[in-house]
Amino acid sequence: TICISRKLGSGAVEIADLVAEKIGYRVVDQQILQHIATNASLSEKTVALFDERYRGKISELVTLAFGEKAFVKSDYAKHLFSSVFAIAALGPTIFVGRGVHLLLSREKVLAVRIISSNQFRVQRLVSLMNISKEEAAKQISELDRQQAAFFKEVYDKKDASPYEFDIVINCDYIKDPRSAAEIIFTAFRSKFGLPETG
């Protein structure tokens, strides 16, 4: 599994899609996980699927990952965690966002952090959404606020330490998404001893 954490607006989903093209994995981004974790019927199915395949494992894995912290008892966290475990169990996946690298076994994960400056992220939003710099800056600020609130609430973490990751890519300097994807692919192949592909 590849887990990509990122500063929102850095282009991580585009990079993940390029890596997926090379290795044939599917990409599951934060919108998909958010949808599953907050949609009651989907959440129940996901939890049931996971419990059916790995009886009693969800609470065991959550306790193992985070100890007996109160936040893991929330329905949202339970549904998010079971969604991640169920999706990972179904086959090779590239996860983008939602701190998935903190949930899955580090021996089976290439954990990647994609970062960039506010200036880079604002300019990228201006280009993608055809909005003013002021509006883009406002959106980036709000996205950062929401992301920080999520990590505080779900993982009780203030920020992402670089020591959590196998590699950190700064898009201010590695500007081409294909180059970033190639770096991730090379690291993935190196970590898991995979053969060269065409």
Side-chain angles (χ1 to χ4, degrees), residues 124-190:
R124 192 167 173 277
L125 251 59
V126 167
S127 300
L128 284 175
M129 301 175 71
N130 197 23
I131 56 177
S132 70
K133 279 189 176 181
E134 293 73 23
E135 180 58 28
K138 202 184 332 180
Q139 287 195 27
I140 289 290
S141 178
E142 177 58 18
L143 288 170
D144 285 350
R145 188 196 64 73
Q146 290 174 8
Q147 187 180 48
F150 169 83
F151 275 87
K152 178 67 180 156
E153 181 185 339
V154 175
Y155 295 109
D156 199 24
K157 287 176 67 68
K158 191 175 175 186
D159 50 30
S161 163
Y163 295 101
E164 294 172 9
F165 304 97
D166 296 290
I167 55 174
V168 177
I169 297 174
N170 187 334
C171 291
D172 286 351
Y173 303 104
I174 310 290
K175 295 182 188 294
D176 177 22
R178 290 197 176 278
S179 297
E182 193 61 43
I183 291 167
I184 294 169
F185 172 69
T186 301
F188 182 72
R189 197 177 61 215
S190 173

Side-chain angles (χ1 to χ4, degrees), residues 112-125:
V112 179
R113 177 85 169 149
I114 307 283
I115 62 169
S116 61
S117 64
N118 281 359
Q119 184 181 349
F120 177 93
R121 296 188 294 149
V122 164
Q123 193 53 54
R124 192 167 173 277
L125 251 59

